[in-house]
Structures are given as structure tokens and as C-alpha cells.
Amino acid sequence: MRSIWELANPARFMRLSAAALPWCAGGAALALLVGTVWGFFLTPDDYRQGSTVKILFVHVPSALMAINIYAMMAVASVIWLVRRHHVSALAAKAAAPIGAAMTAIALATGAMWGQPMWGAPWVWDPRLTSFLILFLFYVGYIALWAAIEDPDAAADLTSVLCLVGTVFAVVSRYAVLFWNQGLHQGASLSLDAKENVDDAFYWPLLAMIAGFALFFLALLLLRTRTEIRRRRIRALRMARARAEEAREGALEGAADVA
Amino acid sequence: MAMTRKKRRIALIAAGMAALAAAATLVGVGMRDSIVFFFSPAEMIARAPGPDQRLRVGGLVEVGSVERGQGETVSFVVTDGAASLPVRFKGVLPDLFSEGQGVVAEGRLVNGVFVADEVLAKHDETYMPREVADALKKQGVYRGAEEGGGS
């Protein structure tokens, strides 16, 4: 039986990801094009926000991805810590800069929306603050990967950091529910919240969310492939260095004898 | 029976995560009062803060309470249904500020009047086209955002 663990084999991952990559990239381009044109040009103005509502089409998908990418990294980190699959650790490493970018986009578009609507680009609301903390965790995670030479040690430590951050990510996701006295509105999209968002905004928003998700998947596959190749090159370099050392050692030994 | 190394790693991760979750929850519950972004008028009156304490009050702008004074001075009443608090503000109000809608004001409570130096409009999670809102208003179904200010 085929299982998901087959992807843990780097060679098999490379083959499957090469086949999946064009589909993800093509789907992302299509969904983003449809969502952008539909959302920005073909939707009516909101009854209170006017055309500022269009920021929603970038803000909601990027915020959603910021949280979900972190969740994906947490799952990949657990798999690395428990099962020691290198592809898993490298996928988490590859996802981090994408997640950091999504968080930055969510913070920036939130400020653009907040200035005209709330009257302030930034407030120390629990949800906004926890998103800033999430961004700092992404930055810290990337820095920790860069700071440690040995790849396995780096994967161990960054995985632990990621799991620590997961607690904050969960708090951030549910901050609005725990502390409902914030400035940020509740989640516009959840399984039962379709009535909050009119169909005119709902469908282009779904297209944008699908586009962001596929875009992330395409970038993730691409970046993980790069990381796997980088790891392979490193292994080859080290093998060559070891072989050279051994040969030099042998030559010196021969010289000593002579 | 001895645990395998994999099982021991799982147990360690689970224990670590549980400890962290407990710590985060304790911090969250312990600092609840300072994490809250604003107080409702009822909470504000119950607390009776001194005039040197900067706080935020949030609720709905009572319908018919907005009075524009000289220059940029505006006064209105913030209500949460249970209690209401008069607010005085000098400055530019945000676009979304209107009667019956959610608002958060930051400032000091002086002699029972909340003197605000910043007023933020609170938006709810409802998004609909202008025509739909108009149609609903005509049918008498839609009566304005009711949950704008939290509780």
C-alpha cells in the first residue's frame, strides 16, 4: 500500500514534486488572476466601508496562510523530531520565509485598512499583537537555521523553537475568542459564518484563498527541492573532502616509510 | 517494558508542549485584565479609575447622543445596554464612526465624563454590498450592526 511516508524518501519526493509543481503553479496563477480581477474590479462597494473592503481580498488570505503555514511547520517539526525524516525538516525550513512574508503582508494590509476604518494603522489589540509575535517567531526561526552549522542540530533546535511558537500561534488564532474585547473584528470566515460575508464578496474571496494556498504549495515544493539538492551537494562536498584527506594521509604515510 | 527511543521522543515532546500550553494559559488568564483592550461603560463605572489613569472604553454610540460643539469638539454617549458613559472628544472622527455603531475611545475619566484624546471606530465582521444593505433596510430586516462593541 502507498502511504504518505513514501514522500520521506528524498528521491521519491523529488520525482513526485516535479510532477506536482507545474499543476500547483498553474492553478495558483489561474486562481489568483480570477480572484484579483473579480475582487478588485467586479465587486460592489461595501455598505459601510466603501471600496476599502477590497483590501479584504488580500488581507484575509494572507492572514489565513500566515497561521496555516506555521501549523504546517509545526507538524513537519514533530515528524522530524519523532521519525527523523530529512525531507520533513527541510520542508519546514523551506516554508518559513513564505510564512514570514504572508505575516508581513497581513500586517501591512491590516494597517492600510485600519487607518481609514478604525482611525489608526496600529493598535495594541490582542489579535494584532499576537500577529506581530508570530512574525517575530518566523524571523527568529529563520535566524536560528542560519546560525547553526550542523544541519541535523539546526533541524533539532529549530523544530523545538517552532513547537514553542505553536503555543503562541494557537493563542493568536483564538485570541479573538478568549479576549473578545479587542478592536479587531471576529473571524469573517468560518464554517458557520457565511452569513457574515455577502455572496458578492464570498466567492472572489474563496478564489483568492485557493490562489494563495496553491501559490504557497508551489513555492514550498520549489524551495524544498532546492533544500534537498543543497543537502545533497553538501554531502558530496564532505565526501570528497574526506576522500582527499584520506589520500593525503596515505601519501604522507608513504613518504614516512620512504 | 522499556520504551523505544521513538516513543520516548514522543513522550518528551508531549510533556514539553503540555507544560508550555499550561504556562501560556496561566499567563493569559493572570494578565486578563491588562490584555483586555477596552472596558465596557459598566466595568468603567464599577472600577471608578482616577483622573490620572489612561484607559479605553468601548461600546455602541447611543442613537441621538452625538452633539457637535465648537470647532472639532464632539460629545456622545457610549453604552453597552447596561450602563452608559458620556464621552467628550476633540479631534477628527474616523470614517466608520456613526450612531448605533461600535466605538473605542482612549482617555481619562474626569468627574464622570470620559475625556478622550483618541476615538477608534470598531467594525464588525459583516460585509455586504450597499444595494443589499439598502434592500434589507427597506424590508425592515436589517437594523444596523448590533454586536459592534462587544460586551
Side-chain angles (χ1 to χ4, degrees), chain A residues 3 17 28 31 41 60 65 70 73 109 147-148 152 159 174 190 192 219-221 232-233 238 245-246:
Chain A
S3 83
S17 60
F41 299 109
V60 172
M65 290 317 291
Y70 204 92
M73 284 164 58
T109 51
I148 299 167
D152 280 11
S159 294
Y174 294 102
S190 55
D192 57 330
L219 282 181
L220 176 70
L221 290 179
R232 209 176 273 164
I233 290 170
M238 284 177 74
E245 253 171 45

Side-chain angles (χ1 to χ4, degrees), chain A residues 44-51 53 56 60 77-78 80-84 113 115-120 123-126 163-168 171 178-188 195-198 200-201, chain B residues 6 9-10 13 17 20-21 24 28-29 31-32 35-40 43 56 94-98 101-104 118-134 137 142 145 147 149-151:
Chain A
D45 283 358
D46 183 73
Y47 72 121
R48 286 185 68 207
Q49 304 166 59
S51 51
V53 71
L56 191 80
V60 172
S77 297
V78 170
W80 160 253
L81 287 176
V82 173
R83 297 187 66 127
R84 316 302 283 180
W113 187 90
Q115 178 60 53
M117 291 296 115
W118 287 338
V123 288
W124 293 101
D125 166 277
L163 292 183
V164 171
T166 306
V167 175
F168 287 93
V171 171
F178 291 151
W179 303 292
N180 58 348
Q181 289 189 357
L183 189 65
H184 197 289
Q185 55 265 46
S188 321
E195 59 206 65
N196 286 332
V197 181
D198 189 90
F201 303 126
Chain B
K6 194 163 111 188
R9 284 202 296 266
I10 295 174
I13 293 168
M17 296 278 279
L20 266 173
V29 170
M31 294 183 16
R32 205 183 164 141
I35 287 174
V36 164
F37 190 65
F38 62 80
F39 296 104
S40 69
E43 286 169 334
R56 294 193 194 93
D95 285 3
L96 280 186
F97 180 91
S98 63
Q101 299 293 349
V103 75
V104 176
E118 190 174 21
V119 171
L120 302 172
K122 187 167 165 23
H123 188 260
D124 56 22
E125 56 267 32
T126 319
Y127 304 87
M128 65 173 133
R130 203 163 269 148
E131 300 85 65
V132 176
D134 288 346
K137 253 180 222 156
Y142 176 71
E147 319 169 286
S151 57

